[in-house]
Coordinates of all heavy atoms in Angstrom, one line a residue:
V120 N -6.3 -24.7 20.6 CA -7.6 -24.5 21.3 C -8.4 -25.9 21.3 O -9.0 -26.2 22.3 CB -8.5 -23.4 20.6 CG1 -9.9 -23.3 21.2 CG2 -7.7 -22.1 20.6
Q130 N -4.9 -19.7 6.6 CA -5.4 -19.0 7.8 C -6.4 -17.9 7.4 O -6.0 -17.0 6.7 CB -4.3 -18.3 8.7 CG -4.9 -17.5 9.8 CD -3.8 -16.7 10.5 OE1 -4.0 -16.2 11.6 NE2 -2.7 -16.4 9.8
I131 N -7.6 -18.1 7.8 CA -8.7 -17.1 7.4 C -9.4 -16.7 8.6 O -10.1 -17.6 9.3 CB -9.7 -17.7 6.3 CG1 -8.9 -18.0 5.0 CG2 -10.7 -16.7 6.0 CD1 -9.8 -18.6 3.9
G132 N -9.4 -15.5 9.0 CA -10.1 -15.0 10.2 C -9.3 -14.1 11.0 O -8.3 -13.6 10.6
W133 N -9.7 -13.9 12.3 CA -9.1 -12.9 13.1 C -8.0 -13.6 14.0 O -8.1 -14.7 14.4 CB -10.2 -12.3 14.0 CG -11.2 -11.6 13.3 CD1 -12.3 -12.1 12.7 CD2 -11.2 -10.2 13.0 NE1 -13.1 -11.1 12.1 CE2 -12.4 -9.9 12.3 CE3 -10.4 -9.1 13.3 CZ2 -12.8 -8.6 11.8 CZ3 -10.7 -7.8 12.9 CH2 -11.9 -7.6 12.2
N134 N -6.9 -12.8 14.1 CA -5.8 -13.3 15.0 C -5.2 -12.0 15.6 O -5.4 -10.9 15.2 CB -4.9 -14.1 14.2 CG -4.1 -15.1 15.1 OD1 -4.0 -14.9 16.2 ND2 -3.6 -16.1 14.4
Q135 N -4.3 -12.2 16.6 CA -3.8 -11.1 17.4 C -2.4 -10.6 16.8 O -1.6 -11.4 16.2 CB -3.6 -11.5 18.8 CG -4.9 -11.7 19.6 CD -4.6 -12.1 21.0 OE1 -4.3 -13.2 21.3 NE2 -4.9 -11.2 21.9
L136 N -2.2 -9.3 17.0 CA -0.9 -8.8 16.7 C -0.2 -8.5 18.0 O -0.6 -7.8 18.9 CB -1.1 -7.4 16.0 CG -1.9 -7.4 14.7 CD1 -2.2 -6.0 14.2 CD2 -1.1 -8.1 13.6
H137 N 1.0 -9.1 18.1 CA 1.8 -9.0 19.4 C 3.0 -8.1 19.0 O 3.8 -8.4 18.2 CB 2.3 -10.3 19.8 CG 1.2 -11.3 20.1 ND1 0.4 -11.2 21.2 CD2 0.8 -12.4 19.4 CE1 -0.5 -12.2 21.2 NE2 -0.3 -12.9 20.2
R138 N 3.0 -6.9 19.6 CA 4.0 -5.9 19.3 C 5.4 -6.3 19.8 O 5.5 -6.8 20.9 CB 3.6 -4.5 19.9 CG 2.4 -4.0 19.3 CD 2.0 -2.6 19.9 NE 3.0 -1.7 19.7 CZ 2.9 -0.4 20.0 NH1 1.7 0.1 20.4 NH2 3.9 0.4 19.8
L145 N 2.4 1.7 14.5 CA 1.6 1.1 15.5 C 1.4 1.9 16.7 O 1.1 1.4 17.8 CB 2.4 -0.2 16.0 CG 2.6 -1.3 14.9 CD1 3.5 -2.4 15.4 CD2 1.4 -1.8 14.3
D147 N -1.0 3.8 17.6 CA -2.4 3.7 18.2 C -2.9 2.3 18.2 O -4.1 2.1 18.5 CB -3.3 4.6 17.4 CG -3.0 6.1 17.6 OD1 -2.5 6.5 18.6 OD2 -3.3 6.9 16.7
V148 N -2.1 1.3 18.0 CA -2.5 -0.1 18.0 C -2.0 -0.8 19.2 O -0.8 -0.9 19.5 CB -2.0 -0.8 16.7 CG1 -2.4 -2.3 16.8 CG2 -2.4 -0.2 15.4
P149 N -2.9 -1.2 20.1 CA -2.5 -1.9 21.4 C -1.9 -3.2 21.1 O -2.3 -3.9 20.2 CB -3.8 -1.9 22.2 CG -4.9 -1.9 21.2 CD -4.4 -1.1 20.0
D150 N -1.2 -3.7 22.0 CA -0.6 -5.0 22.0 C -1.7 -6.0 22.2 O -2.5 -5.9 23.0 CB 0.5 -5.2 23.1 CG 1.2 -6.5 23.0 OD1 1.3 -7.1 21.9 OD2 1.6 -7.1 24.1
G151 N -1.7 -7.1 21.3 CA -2.8 -8.0 21.4 C -4.0 -7.7 20.6 O -5.0 -8.5 20.6
A152 N -4.0 -6.6 19.8 CA -5.2 -6.2 19.0 C -5.4 -7.3 17.9 O -4.5 -7.9 17.4 CB -4.9 -4.8 18.4
Y153 N -6.7 -7.4 17.6 CA -7.1 -8.4 16.6 C -7.1 -7.7 15.2 O -7.6 -6.6 15.1 CB -8.4 -9.1 16.9 CG -8.3 -10.1 18.0 CD1 -8.4 -9.8 19.3 CD2 -8.2 -11.5 17.6 CE1 -8.3 -10.8 20.3 CE2 -8.1 -12.4 18.6 CZ -8.2 -12.1 19.9 OH -8.1 -13.1 20.9
A154 N -6.7 -8.5 14.2 CA -6.7 -8.0 12.8 C -7.2 -9.2 11.9 O -7.1 -10.4 12.4 CB -5.4 -7.5 12.3
Y155 N -7.6 -8.9 10.7 CA -8.1 -10.0 9.8 C -7.1 -10.5 8.9 O -6.5 -9.7 8.2 CB -9.4 -9.5 9.1 CG -10.0 -10.5 8.2 CD1 -11.0 -11.3 8.9 CD2 -9.8 -10.7 6.9 CE1 -11.7 -12.3 8.1 CE2 -10.5 -11.7 6.2 CZ -11.4 -12.5 6.8 OH -12.0 -13.5 6.1
F156 N -6.9 -11.8 8.8 CA -5.9 -12.5 8.0 C -6.6 -13.4 7.0 O -7.6 -14.0 7.2 CB -4.9 -13.3 8.9 CG -4.1 -12.5 9.8 CD1 -4.5 -12.0 11.0 CD2 -2.7 -12.3 9.5 CE1 -3.7 -11.3 11.9 CE2 -1.9 -11.5 10.3 CZ -2.4 -11.0 11.5
A172 N 5.7 -6.5 14.6 CA 4.7 -7.3 15.3 C 4.7 -8.8 14.8 O 5.0 -9.0 13.6 CB 3.3 -6.7 15.2
T173 N 4.3 -9.7 15.6 CA 4.2 -11.1 15.3 C 2.8 -11.6 15.5 O 2.0 -11.0 16.2 CB 5.2 -12.0 16.0 OG1 4.9 -11.8 17.4 CG2 6.6 -11.5 15.7
T174 N 2.5 -12.7 14.9 CA 1.2 -13.4 15.1 C 1.4 -14.9 15.2 O 2.3 -15.4 14.5 CB 0.2 -13.1 13.9 OG1 0.0 -11.7 13.8 CG2 -1.1 -13.9 14.0
D175 N 0.7 -15.5 16.1 CA 0.9 -16.9 16.3 C -0.2 -17.8 15.6 O -1.3 -17.6 15.9 CB 0.9 -17.2 17.9 CG 1.1 -18.7 18.1 OD1 1.6 -19.4 17.2 OD2 0.9 -19.1 19.3
Y176 N 0.3 -18.6 14.6 CA -0.6 -19.5 13.9 C 0.1 -20.8 13.7 O 0.6 -21.0 12.6 CB -1.2 -18.9 12.7 CG -2.4 -19.7 12.1 CD1 -3.6 -19.6 12.7 CD2 -2.2 -20.5 11.0 CE1 -4.7 -20.3 12.2 CE2 -3.3 -21.2 10.5 CZ -4.5 -21.1 11.1 OH -5.6 -21.8 10.6
Y180 N 5.1 -15.9 13.5 CA 5.7 -15.3 12.3 C 5.5 -13.7 12.3 O 4.6 -13.2 12.9 CB 5.0 -15.9 11.0 CG 3.6 -15.6 10.9 CD1 3.1 -14.5 10.1 CD2 2.6 -16.4 11.5 CE1 1.8 -14.1 10.0 CE2 1.2 -16.0 11.3 CZ 0.9 -14.9 10.6 OH -0.5 -14.6 10.5
S182 N 4.1 -10.4 11.3 CA 2.8 -10.0 10.6 C 2.9 -8.5 10.2 O 2.1 -8.0 9.4 CB 1.6 -10.2 11.5 OG 1.9 -9.7 12.8
I183 N 3.8 -7.7 10.9 CA 4.0 -6.3 10.5 C 5.6 -6.1 10.5 O 6.2 -6.4 11.6 CB 3.3 -5.3 11.4 CG1 1.8 -5.5 11.3 CG2 3.6 -3.8 11.0 CD1 1.0 -4.6 12.1
I192 N 2.5 -5.0 5.9 CA 1.4 -5.5 6.8 C 0.8 -6.7 6.2 O 0.3 -6.7 5.1 CB 0.3 -4.4 6.9 CG1 0.9 -3.1 7.4 CG2 -0.8 -4.9 7.9 CD1 -0.1 -1.9 7.5
Q193 N 0.8 -7.8 6.9 CA 0.3 -9.1 6.4 C -1.2 -9.1 6.5 O -1.9 -9.5 5.5 CB 0.9 -10.3 7.1 CG 0.4 -11.6 6.6 CD 0.7 -11.9 5.2 OE1 1.9 -12.0 4.8 NE2 -0.3 -12.0 4.3
P194 N -1.9 -8.7 7.6 CA -3.3 -8.7 7.6 C -3.9 -7.6 6.7 O -3.1 -6.7 6.2 CB -3.7 -8.4 9.1 CG -2.5 -7.7 9.6 CD -1.3 -8.3 8.9
H195 N -5.2 -7.6 6.5 CA -5.8 -6.6 5.7 C -6.4 -5.5 6.6 O -7.4 -5.6 7.2 CB -7.0 -7.3 4.9 CG -6.6 -8.2 3.8 ND1 -6.3 -7.8 2.5 CD2 -6.4 -9.5 3.9 CE1 -6.0 -8.9 1.8 NE2 -6.0 -9.9 2.6
P196 N -5.7 -4.3 6.6 CA -6.2 -3.2 7.4 C -7.6 -2.8 7.0 O -8.4 -2.4 7.8 CB -5.2 -2.1 7.2 CG -4.0 -2.8 6.6 CD -4.5 -3.9 5.9
E197 N -7.9 -2.9 5.7 CA -9.2 -2.4 5.2 C -10.4 -3.3 5.6 O -11.5 -3.0 5.6 CB -9.3 -2.3 3.7 CG -9.3 -3.6 2.9 CD -8.0 -4.3 2.8 OE1 -7.0 -3.8 3.4 OE2 -7.9 -5.3 2.1
K198 N -10.0 -4.5 6.1 CA -11.0 -5.4 6.7 C -10.9 -5.7 8.2 O -11.6 -6.5 8.7 CB -10.9 -6.8 6.0 CG -11.0 -6.8 4.5 CD -10.9 -8.1 3.8 CE -11.0 -8.1 2.4 NZ -10.8 -9.4 1.7
S199 N -10.0 -4.9 8.8 CA -9.7 -5.2 10.2 C -10.4 -4.2 11.2 O -10.0 -4.1 12.3 CB -8.2 -5.1 10.4 OG -7.6 -6.2 9.7
H200 N -11.4 -3.5 10.7 CA -12.2 -2.7 11.5 C -11.5 -1.7 12.4 O -10.8 -0.8 11.8 CB -13.2 -3.6 12.4 CG -14.3 -2.8 13.1 ND1 -15.1 -2.0 12.3 CD2 -14.6 -2.7 14.3 CE1 -16.0 -1.5 13.2 NE2 -15.7 -1.9 14.4
T201 N -11.5 -1.9 13.7 CA -10.8 -0.9 14.6 C -9.3 -0.7 14.4 O -8.8 0.4 14.3 CB -11.1 -1.2 16.1 OG1 -12.5 -1.4 16.3 CG2 -10.5 -0.2 17.0
V202 N -8.6 -1.9 14.2 CA -7.2 -1.8 14.0 C -6.9 -1.1 12.7 O -6.0 -0.3 12.6 CB -6.6 -3.2 14.0 CG1 -5.1 -3.2 13.5 CG2 -6.7 -3.9 15.3
G203 N -7.7 -1.4 11.6 CA -7.5 -0.8 10.3 C -7.7 0.7 10.4 O -6.9 1.5 9.8
L204 N -8.8 1.1 11.1 CA -9.1 2.5 11.3 C -8.0 3.3 12.1 O -7.8 4.5 12.0 CB -10.3 2.7 12.0 CG -11.6 2.3 11.2 CD1 -12.9 2.4 12.1 CD2 -11.8 3.1 9.9
R205 N -7.2 2.5 12.8 CA -6.1 3.2 13.6 C -4.8 3.2 12.8 O -4.0 4.1 13.0 CB -5.8 2.4 14.9 CG -7.0 2.6 15.9 CD -6.8 1.8 17.1 NE -7.9 2.1 18.1 CZ -8.0 1.4 19.3 NH1 -7.1 0.5 19.6 NH2 -8.9 1.7 20.1
I206 N -4.6 2.2 11.9 CA -3.4 2.2 11.0 C -3.5 3.1 9.9 O -2.5 3.8 9.6 CB -3.2 0.7 10.5 CG1 -2.8 -0.2 11.7 CG2 -2.2 0.6 9.4 CD1 -2.6 -1.7 11.3

Side-chain angles (χ1 to χ4, degrees):
V120 178
Q130 175 189 197
I131 299 179
W133 298 85
N134 208 337
Q135 288 181 289
L136 300 172
H137 302 288
R138 297 180 57 169
L145 300 177
D147 293 335
V148 179
D150 186 30
Y153 281 85
Y155 187 83
F156 293 79
T173 60
T174 296
D175 185 9
Y176 193 73
Y180 67 92
S182 50
I183 300 181
I192 304 176
Q193 181 62 65
H195 291 271
E197 75 279 7
K198 299 178 182 179
S199 296
H200 193 53
T201 303
V202 171
L204 292 176
R205 292 176 178 177
I206 289 178

